[in-house]
Amino acid sequence: MKQTEKQKKIRLTIIILTIVGLISFLSQTITVFAYGIDKTTDFYLLLYPMLFVSLILVFTKPKFGILLTLLTSISYSILLTNEVGKYLTFDFQNSILILVLLLPYLIFLSLIPLSIIYLTDKTENRIKFQLTSILFALGFFAFIIFDRMDKDYSRTVFVDAVLKNNGIVELKLKPGFADSREFYVKTNSKELEKIIKEKGEFVQGSYFLSNTRIRTNYKFDQLKSLTLIEFNKNIELPKLTWNVDEINGNYDFIRP
């Protein structure tokens, strides 16, 4: 099918953006291949060759290639939105991530409306499709903003628990056993005291709780609260929550 002049220009733009996206996202893909990244590793490793194949098809079978580019770009946008949101909120000073994370993310978002504009250029309702595609792409940024207004994160820490004579349980949280960074929270939970006595490792007057999982709640980059979840990966703890004004010490190390 003969392409319009508009389609030819958009096709060239898609080719250029796809090449830049492949180059800029190569290092991130290699890193994921080497170290993995939770349950999304397989998706990362699948989408990169798909994007490469779509680039080749854009040269040989433009319509099918651009359709594959669209599907890959949507998948990448969904996959990367959480990481980009975390980067923009907590790590924006890291200029390297602008090139290897933010740039390819913006390229994938741009490829969504460009692909739809190309595919619907000769349809009767092309204006509606094209406007919808632009709003759809912009919606990812809107989601990042609203999602970070009340966002939970989880991580593991090392806990040194001291049981006071007055029934107070003092928990000292740190990144690891020998790390000097730490902060304190207190509670009078009898249930937690019982679990610590039964399951904790008693050493020199205090109990060690290794691999303690906590959940933190942030409003953008401001910590709002901290909740105990479990320790040693299988021992559930009472869901005790402390507001930020109940936390004493330097808690910067628990930032996502």
Side-chain angles (χ1 to χ4, degrees), residues 205-250:
S206 62
Y207 293 83
F208 293 163
L209 307 180
S210 59
N211 294 318
T212 302
R213 181 163 293 279
I214 61 173
R215 181 175 65 242
T216 53
N217 178 264
Y218 278 80
K219 182 176 182 180
F220 296 112
D221 63 342
Q222 299 298 313
L223 179 65
K224 307 302 291 183
S225 66
L226 177 150
T227 303
L228 280 181
I229 304 297
E230 64 179 13
F231 88 90
N232 207 23
K233 298 182 179 179
N234 59 4
I235 301 174
E236 188 173 350
L237 298 173
K239 300 298 188 295
L240 299 173
T241 299
W242 294 267
N243 294 324
V244 66
D245 55 0
E246 298 175 299
I247 301 173
N248 301 297
N250 186 348

Side-chain angles (χ1 to χ4, degrees), residues 72-83:
T72 307
S73 298
I74 292 175
S75 300
Y76 258 135
S77 298
I78 294 172
L79 187 64
L80 294 177
T81 292
N82 186 58
E83 290 301 314

Side-chain angles (χ1 to χ4, degrees), residues 89-90 144-146 148-150 153 218-222:
T89 304
F90 297 104
I144 287 175
I145 295 172
F146 288 111
R148 300 293 152 173
M149 291 178 66
D150 185 14
Y153 305 87
Y218 278 80
K219 182 176 182 180
F220 296 112
D221 63 342
Q222 299 298 313

Side-chain angles (χ1 to χ4, degrees), residues 11-76:
R11 176 170 169 256
L12 177 60
T13 304
I14 289 174
I15 291 172
I16 294 172
L17 288 177
T18 303
I19 292 173
V20 175
L22 284 168
I23 294 172
S24 62
F25 205 60
L26 178 61
S27 63
Q28 183 79 350
T29 304
I30 293 174
T31 301
V32 172
F33 176 76
Y35 301 103
I37 180 170
D38 299 327
K39 298 178 181 180
T40 59
T41 300
D42 292 339
F43 292 103
Y44 274 95
L45 301 182
L46 175 64
L47 289 175
Y48 195 84
M50 280 181 59
L51 186 61
F52 185 77
V53 170
S54 73
L55 174 63
I56 296 174
L57 291 175
V58 171
F59 286 100
T60 58
K61 296 181 178 180
K63 188 173 182 179
F64 183 73
I66 290 176
L67 179 60
L68 185 59
T69 300
L70 173 62
L71 295 175
T72 307
S73 298
I74 292 175
S75 300
Y76 258 135

